[in-house]
Amino acid sequence: MFLRYLLPLTLLAAPAASAPGEAQTTPAAPRGTIAITFDDAPRGDGAFFSGSERTRELIDALERADVDGAMIFVLGRNAEADTDGLDRLQAYAAAGHSLANHSYSHTWLWQSEPAAYLADIDRTTGLLENLPGHTPYFRFPFLDEGRTVEGRDALRQGLAERGLRNGYVTVDNYDWYMDALVQRAVAAGREVDMDALRQAYIDILLEGVDFYDALARETLDRSPAHVLLLHENDLAALFIDDLAIALREAGWQIVPAETAYADPIADMLPDTLFNGQGRVAALAHAARLKPAREMVPPFEDEAWLEAEFARRGVFSSAD
């Protein structure tokens, strides 16, 4: 369990649509750029979609939202476990999205020897290297870049030798746990208020963007090209087009992931072992701007999310 961030949270509400005859809402001032990425693809069946249905829904929703160049971080064991796994990955590529490496086994680096960990990465590279849309990026599972300087640096060297760049994130969140709450509720036979769920998903993710952008401005004196971490799950398939609309209404321009990875922070390797909150938080920690506990927001806490979903009435009461 992560430590709780101590400052109060004010969730953003999506702007209400204007009624006929009312003045239209003034568009938000430009904020910066952000890219969308998805981990753990291709995931299996969920409460709302089969794996194959989810891939099609995500592709269609991204097209509706005019989002180009999302990056799909592939978990090799998922691709091999799904009979349509490679077809699903090729469908993402055919739709203009890129494929990158997220390891084969999704293990913690701190629990692995560097040589074995690199061999696990190589196994997924073998699956991807002949697929269209393959790009030379690797994202650490759990954003875990090791708990020793020696392990961290061994992986940095190993990735460089393989021509793999760090597929870092700048905006972390717990979208995976929001999805887990929904999967659990549906399995228990509870009704889901889809409007409340949609608004919770959008509000909490937008708050994450604001949190990490404020930290970036404090650390770098600018807003970098952000990289948003999401997972290839049912909530993303249901609401990614709504999220894209909300991001743009908040002033964000959505760009391809490879465009975002051209930002100078891609070459700024934080001299810290505090990497689990993403690149911006790692740079802030390396600069000793804040204690670690102040870089873990409340919405990256399972108990907080459970309470927030209950407050919003996302699920019916259990029988």
Side-chain angles (χ1 to χ4, degrees), residues 101 109 113-122 125 136-138 140 145 149-166 269:
N101 195 321
L109 174 55
E113 293 297 323
Y117 194 92
L118 288 165
D120 193 77
I121 294 171
D122 292 341
T125 297
Y137 290 89
F138 169 74
F140 287 88
E145 298 188 29
V149 171
E150 293 78 14
R152 179 199 68 190
D153 291 350
L155 260 292
R156 287 178 176 177
Q157 179 179 345
L159 293 179
E161 290 170 351
R162 288 161 172 76
L164 288 171
R165 302 189 69 190
N166 189 326
L269 297 180

Side-chain angles (χ1 to χ4, degrees), residues 281-317:
L283 289 168
H285 191 263
R288 302 181 184 275
L289 293 181
K290 291 178 181 289
R293 67 192 182 103
E294 292 188 15
M295 290 184 284
V296 182
F299 40 81
E300 292 181 45
D301 178 279
E302 295 170 16
W304 187 94
L305 286 168
E306 291 170 12
E308 181 64 11
F309 271 40
R311 184 185 72 81
R312 289 171 175 260
V314 173
F315 308 129
S316 64
S317 298

Side-chain angles (χ1 to χ4, degrees), residues 5-207:
Y5 181 61
L6 300 181
L7 295 181
L9 175 71
T10 301
L11 289 173
L12 297 177
S18 298
E22 290 184 357
Q24 298 298 309
T25 302
T26 302
R31 296 280 299 280
T33 60
I34 191 166
I36 296 175
T37 67
F38 300 94
D39 280 8
D40 296 353
R43 290 168 59 100
D45 298 349
F48 296 99
F49 305 108
S50 70
S52 296
E53 289 170 342
R54 184 187 310 110
T55 291
R56 177 47 53 192
E57 288 289 332
L58 262 175
I59 289 171
D60 290 347
L62 289 167
E63 182 177 3
R64 287 195 303 272
D66 195 25
V67 173
D68 298 319
M71 190 169 284
I72 313 298
F73 283 89
V74 176
L75 191 59
R77 69 182 183 194
N78 285 359
E80 289 198 332
D82 189 324
T83 56
D84 297 324
L86 294 181
D87 291 339
R88 290 170 60 187
L89 298 179
Q90 291 186 77
Y92 284 122
H97 307 297
S98 52
L99 306 176
N101 195 321
H102 194 40
S103 83
Y104 187 88
S105 305
H106 206 279
T107 54
W108 294 86
L109 174 55
W110 72 271
Q111 293 181 334
S112 309
E113 293 297 323
Y117 194 92
L118 288 165
D120 193 77
I121 294 171
D122 292 341
R123 190 172 177 184
T124 293
T125 297
L127 293 174
L128 294 177
E129 58 189 354
N130 294 320
L131 293 182
H134 176 220
T135 53
Y137 290 89
F138 169 74
R139 176 169 292 165
F140 287 88
F142 311 104
L143 304 182
D144 167 36
E145 298 188 29
R147 298 188 183 178
T148 66
V149 171
E150 293 78 14
R152 179 199 68 190
D153 291 350
L155 260 292
R156 287 178 176 177
Q157 179 179 345
L159 293 179
E161 290 170 351
R162 288 161 172 76
L164 288 171
R165 302 189 69 190
N166 189 326
Y168 63 84
V169 308
T170 66
V171 180
D172 191 24
N173 59 73
Y174 262 31
D175 78 307
W176 63 271
Y177 193 68
M178 288 191 276
D179 186 76
L181 288 175
V182 175
Q183 302 292 331
R184 192 166 70 199
V186 171
R190 300 176 68 181
E191 293 183 3
V192 180
D193 183 329
M194 296 303 290
D195 289 335
L197 176 61
R198 177 186 296 106
Q199 198 61 57
Y201 182 80
I202 293 170
D203 287 348
I204 293 167
L205 292 180
L206 284 181
E207 185 69 15

Side-chain angles (χ1 to χ4, degrees), residues 206-253:
L206 284 181
E207 185 69 15
V209 174
D210 279 356
F211 177 91
Y212 286 103
D213 188 56
L215 185 59
R217 290 176 184 274
E218 183 177 355
T219 305
L220 306 171
D221 293 324
R222 68 183 182 92
S223 178
H226 282 291
V227 179
L228 174 63
L229 170 63
L230 297 174
H231 291 77
E232 195 223 39
N233 57 33
D234 282 0
L235 295 193
L238 287 166
F239 304 134
I240 191 62
D241 47 352
D242 299 296
L243 178 62
I245 290 169
L247 283 166
R248 290 185 176 118
E249 288 178 343
W252 294 99
Q253 178 189 2

